[in-house]
Amino acid sequence: MSDAYKKAGVNLEAGYESVERIKKHVASTMRIGAMDIFGDFGGSFDLSELNYKKPVLVSGTDGVGTKLKLAFEMNIHDTIGIDAVAMCVNDILTQGAEPLFFLDYIACGKNDPAQIEAIVKGVSEGSKMSGAALLGGETAEMPGFYQDGEYDIAGFAVGVVEKDERVTKANVKPGDKIIGLPSSGVHSNGFSLVRHIIKEQGLDFHTTYEGFDKPLGEVLLTPTEIYVQEVLALLKEVKVNAMAHITGGGFFENVPRMLSGNLGAKFDQSTWKKPTVFPFLQEKAGISDKEMFTVFNMGVGYMIVVDPSVADRALSLLPKASLIGEITETGKVEIE
């Protein structure tokens, strides 16, 4: 143990304890192709173990944003890791990619082994939900950079898809149907606005407001849905023309990412149920529908575009989904 390093604010022994605590969580995520070399300088994955003829690797990276402030406030740290995984694997899923492995990066002011274990437990849960191996990561103790008890987390996911089966927007056409998969709530985007509303309206994270069955902070910490398993199962049965993960920028920023040329999309918001948290925030802050759909997912976390001839089949395979809209030639995103 380096006494000088400890005096500088870095506790190597706490770091060693954190590693021991997280080993079992990491081990629980192993899958075919993952090579068991915990503690090495790099994680390895044997792509030859998988039955892909022309594999294309699809990668994505993301963080959790200021949702972390709620985790600090509520002292709940075992769901944030799920968010970190979800934000990455849902992104690469839009190309039809099967997640293979995930890497995480945690930076903190002071290494608290119990807190680190809770975070990595969530990362492990998210990895298992998506079928990805937690292949490695880094925990950086940075005294003076983060306040004690606070941290940041980011992740990186790699998936694979057959070259000829990769989902792009090339086949989207007017009249195609848009299927929406429900979100669990705010997910991991728009929390700067959420926190502003909470502060401006004098709301309390620890209070259970009318319409909720738990404190507001816990409602907002509900982890991001991971859509991997149901979407991969759908892709085996139905031709999908495009997909979108509804993250930061809501409908107006993310829907155009699955369109090309002069195509647009028209939605009927009466066709899906919005989690209570959205009308609650909208009413408290007096925000317009357009602004809500510009910032939040508004109850739709993931979208799938299919030909009208297979829409009913797709919906039968996605029991939680709804038919929420249609591709148009307007070049605009319209919400009625």
Side-chain angles (χ1 to χ4, degrees):
M1 175 65 189
S2 169
D3 289 334
Y5 212 9
K6 190 171 184 178
K7 288 179 181 178
V10 178
N11 188 339
L12 294 178
E13 290 179 347
Y16 302 148
E17 181 184 343
S18 294
V19 170
E20 287 302 313
R21 281 173 172 260
I22 68 176
K23 277 184 178 180
K24 61 180 180 292
H25 301 297
V26 174
S28 71
T29 71
M30 291 301 101
R31 54 155 292 160
I32 294 174
M35 303 181 75
D36 186 11
I37 50 172
F38 186 89
D40 209 334
F41 288 99
S44 298
F45 193 95
D46 186 356
L47 200 58
S48 69
E49 291 277 334
L50 306 181
N51 189 30
Y52 283 86
K53 297 179 176 63
K54 294 181 179 180
V56 172
L57 296 180
V58 184
S59 61
T61 186
D62 210 337
V64 179
T66 60
K67 187 174 186 177
L68 288 169
K69 288 289 189 181
L70 275 73
F72 306 152
E73 172 71 25
M74 300 300 293
N75 195 27
I76 297 174
H77 307 286
D78 59 354
T79 59
I80 284 296
I82 298 175
D83 289 301
V85 176
M87 296 303 291
C88 297
V89 297
N90 287 342
D91 275 358
I92 66 174
L93 180 64
T94 61
Q95 294 187 40
E98 170 197 0
L100 298 177
F101 58 86
F102 186 81
L103 303 174
D104 64 359
Y105 173 81
I106 302 168
C108 57
K110 179 179 180 181
N111 193 318
D112 177 343
Q115 185 186 68
I116 297 298
E117 181 183 5
I119 298 167
V120 176
K121 178 184 176 184
V123 175
S124 300
E125 286 299 314
S127 297
K128 287 186 286 187
M129 290 164 67
S130 67
L134 177 52
L135 212 54
E138 167 70 4
T139 301
E141 189 173 9
M142 302 164 63
F145 198 87
Y146 295 93
Q147 296 184 34
D148 287 354
E150 296 194 355
Y151 56 86
D152 195 11
I153 180 172
F156 175 82
V158 172
V160 63
V161 62
E162 285 284 9
K163 185 175 182 179
D164 297 335
E165 296 175 6
R166 181 169 159 262
V167 179
T168 71
K169 55 190 175 184
N171 295 319
V172 179
K173 61 189 181 305
D176 278 356
K177 301 300 181 183
I178 304 173
I179 293 171
L181 289 170
S183 70
S184 59
V186 181
H187 282 185
S188 299
N189 300 103
F191 274 89
S192 294
L193 177 56
V194 169
R195 290 170 46 246
H196 176 76
I197 294 171
I198 299 297
K199 182 178 179 180
E200 288 294 306
Q201 301 303 315
L203 301 172
D204 178 34
F205 289 124
H206 300 274
T207 297
T208 301
Y209 291 96
E210 185 178 354
F212 300 111
D213 59 3
K214 53 187 175 183
L216 179 59
E218 292 184 28
V219 171
L220 292 167
L221 280 174
T222 301
T224 306
E225 286 285 340
I226 292 177
Y227 300 102
V228 172
Q229 300 303 333
E230 55 196 316
V231 172
L232 290 181
L234 176 72
L235 290 170
K236 293 178 181 178
E237 304 291 334
V238 172
K239 170 67 175 175
V240 170
N241 291 343
M243 295 186 283
H245 182 202
I246 309 305
T247 56
F251 277 48
F252 291 103
E253 183 174 324
N254 291 291
V255 171
R257 297 170 72 177
M258 65 180 185
L259 306 174
S260 59
N262 294 320
L263 294 179
K266 188 174 184 178
F267 298 92
D268 178 357
Q269 61 177 302
S270 70
T271 56
W272 73 88
K273 183 178 180 181
K274 300 180 183 69
T276 305
V277 67
F278 293 116
F280 174 83
L281 292 171
Q282 184 173 12
E283 181 182 349
K284 293 294 182 182
I287 298 174
S288 68
D289 272 5
K290 184 172 183 179
E291 187 168 0
M292 291 294 290
F293 277 96
T294 300
V295 177
F296 301 113
N297 65 64
M298 295 302 285
V300 179
Y302 199 87
M303 294 182 189
I304 301 166
V305 178
V306 297
D307 188 88
S309 64
V310 299
D312 287 342
R313 172 64 174 155
L315 287 167
S316 72
L317 295 168
L318 299 167
K320 297 179 182 179
S322 304
L323 184 60
I324 63 171
E326 184 173 293
I327 301 299
T328 68
E329 296 181 272
T330 64
K332 299 183 295 184
V333 175
E334 302 169 281
I335 302 167
E336 297 182 341

